[in-house]
Amino acid sequence: MTSLGLVGLGRMGGNMRERWRGAGLQVIGYDLNQELSDATDPADLVARLDAPRVIWLMLPVQHIDAMLAQVVPLLSAGDVVVDGGNSKYTDDQRRAGVCAEHGVAFVDCGVSGGVWGRTNGYALMVGGEAAVVERLTPYFQALKPAGDFGFVHAGPVGAGHFAKMVHNGIEYAMMEAYAEGWELLATADLVTDVPAVFRSWREGSVVKSWLLDLLDNALEDDPDLSDVRGYAEDSGEGRWTVEAAIELGVPTPAISASLYTRFISRQTDSPAMKMIAALRNQFGGHAVLPEDD
């Protein structure tokens, strides 16, 4: 069976390693933090894997190319590199070319699930050659939720990250809609228990979703979000979604507006942005900024 080495053992990578191991799959991890790491360095990681090898990267986008430069020359023909980070889809073909020079295949995999993925499973959006993707089936099956959903071979190299980019653009717009609704309810004198309204929507409503469940969690922890500053970062995918929409001539007013609202949050302490920040913390463990004293 293919042997897998995982590079990057942070919030996502560390939980993925444990989910794989819980499914009985052998995974060797490497991280700069040696307290988390199984291998001492990339060379040690590759040496400990049996061919054919898979190197799965779970790294911030700014570190992908540097790690590829270290790892790919250590690999052999027939090995595979998977980029599971939130890379821009336009970089995938270039990186596939770098790998191909060494006879190494490249797969891009958009991964959604945040800090809850270890328990609930991850949604995987994959791009690459069908035969290569098929080889990785045991690892995809172990990560995804049980049942029919949570995995798609979206197309050739780049398709996985493109699908994940659009997924995150939709996520931006959904969170913005919930946040604006929360601010409107909270501002009105008529509604006396705003958290209870959102809680009531968790079943039977057409707006029910996992994000709504997480919103309810956030309000249970802090009913008026007084401990959260109304500031929300954008991690890149929202911008890329809008850029792709402009390039393709596809109207995306809701996604575009939600991105610009995040920019507004960096200028004023927006009440709606308190909810966006709280939701990002709930599903992804992203840090929230405390209110200034």
Side-chain angles (χ1 to χ4, degrees), residues 5-10 13-14 17-18 21 27-46 48 59 67:
L6 176 62
V7 180
L9 301 171
R17 176 177 61 173
E18 297 313 306
R21 288 178 174 175
V27 180
I28 298 174
Y30 166 69
D31 196 274
L32 287 175
N33 182 349
Q34 287 293 295
E35 293 183 4
L36 303 175
S37 191
D38 304 312
T40 56
D41 55 37
D44 179 47
L45 175 67
V46 173
R48 293 173 62 175
L59 296 172
M67 184 53 63

Side-chain angles (χ1 to χ4, degrees), residues 57-69:
L57 308 180
M58 288 303 296
L59 296 172
V61 293
Q62 63 268 30
H63 299 305
I64 298 293
D65 287 324
M67 184 53 63
L68 284 176

Side-chain angles (χ1 to χ4, degrees), residues 21-200:
R21 288 178 174 175
L25 297 175
Q26 194 170 34
V27 180
I28 298 174
Y30 166 69
D31 196 274
L32 287 175
N33 182 349
Q34 287 293 295
E35 293 183 4
L36 303 175
S37 191
D38 304 312
T40 56
D41 55 37
D44 179 47
L45 175 67
V46 173
R48 293 173 62 175
L49 299 173
D50 297 326
R53 310 171 190 86
V54 173
I55 299 294
W56 188 304
L57 308 180
M58 288 303 296
L59 296 172
V61 293
Q62 63 268 30
H63 299 305
I64 298 293
D65 287 324
M67 184 53 63
L68 284 176
Q70 292 184 64
V71 169
V72 172
L74 303 173
L75 300 177
S76 304
D79 292 343
V80 181
V81 169
V82 179
D83 179 4
N86 283 328
S87 293
K88 192 172 184 180
Y89 71 98
T90 51
D91 290 326
D92 290 325
Q93 287 289 347
R94 173 177 57 80
R95 290 168 178 162
V98 170
C99 291
E101 292 174 3
H102 296 264
V104 174
F106 180 88
V107 169
D108 56 290
C109 182
V111 182
S112 180
V115 296
W116 298 84
R118 178 179 175 183
T119 301
N120 298 340
Y122 299 88
L124 308 173
M125 293 142 271
V126 177
E129 295 182 11
V132 178
V133 172
E134 180 66 24
R135 283 174 50 196
L136 303 180
T137 295
Y139 292 98
F140 295 141
Q141 288 294 323
L143 284 183
K144 68 179 285 296
D148 296 333
F149 308 114
F151 171 83
V152 62
H153 181 195
V157 169
H161 280 146
F162 191 91
K164 178 58 162 49
M165 175 191 75
V166 175
H167 166 283
N168 282 27
I170 293 169
E171 176 189 296
Y172 274 45
M174 289 177 66
M175 288 197 292
E176 177 63 22
Y178 283 135
E180 291 177 8
W182 174 79
E183 182 174 0
L184 183 59
L185 285 166
T187 302
D189 294 331
L190 189 61
V191 178
T192 57
D193 193 341
V194 174
V197 171
F198 279 99
R199 188 171 301 115
S200 75

Side-chain angles (χ1 to χ4, degrees), residues 155-281:
V157 169
H161 280 146
F162 191 91
K164 178 58 162 49
M165 175 191 75
V166 175
H167 166 283
N168 282 27
I170 293 169
E171 176 189 296
Y172 274 45
M174 289 177 66
M175 288 197 292
E176 177 63 22
Y178 283 135
E180 291 177 8
W182 174 79
E183 182 174 0
L184 183 59
L185 285 166
T187 302
D189 294 331
L190 189 61
V191 178
T192 57
D193 193 341
V194 174
V197 171
F198 279 99
R199 188 171 301 115
S200 75
W201 294 344
R202 291 182 62 165
E203 294 295 341
S205 167
V206 296
V207 300
K208 65 178 291 187
S209 72
W210 185 39
L211 279 174
L212 180 63
D213 296 343
L214 296 174
L215 187 158
D216 183 34
N217 291 346
L219 291 175
E220 185 174 2
D221 294 339
D222 184 5
D224 58 3
L225 302 181
S226 58
D227 294 332
V228 179
R229 181 180 165 194
Y231 179 105
E233 284 286 1
D234 67 289
S235 54
E237 295 91 342
R239 297 185 189 213
W240 302 338
T241 303
V242 172
E243 289 171 1
I246 293 170
E247 181 178 346
L248 296 171
V250 175
T252 55
I255 294 174
S256 300
S258 67
L259 173 65
Y260 284 110
T261 303
R262 292 201 183 190
F263 297 161
I264 293 171
S265 81
R266 297 164 202 178
Q267 299 172 329
T268 60
D269 193 18
S270 163
M273 281 301 109
K274 289 176 178 280
M275 178 56 72
I276 299 290
L279 275 171
R280 295 181 79 244
N281 175 258

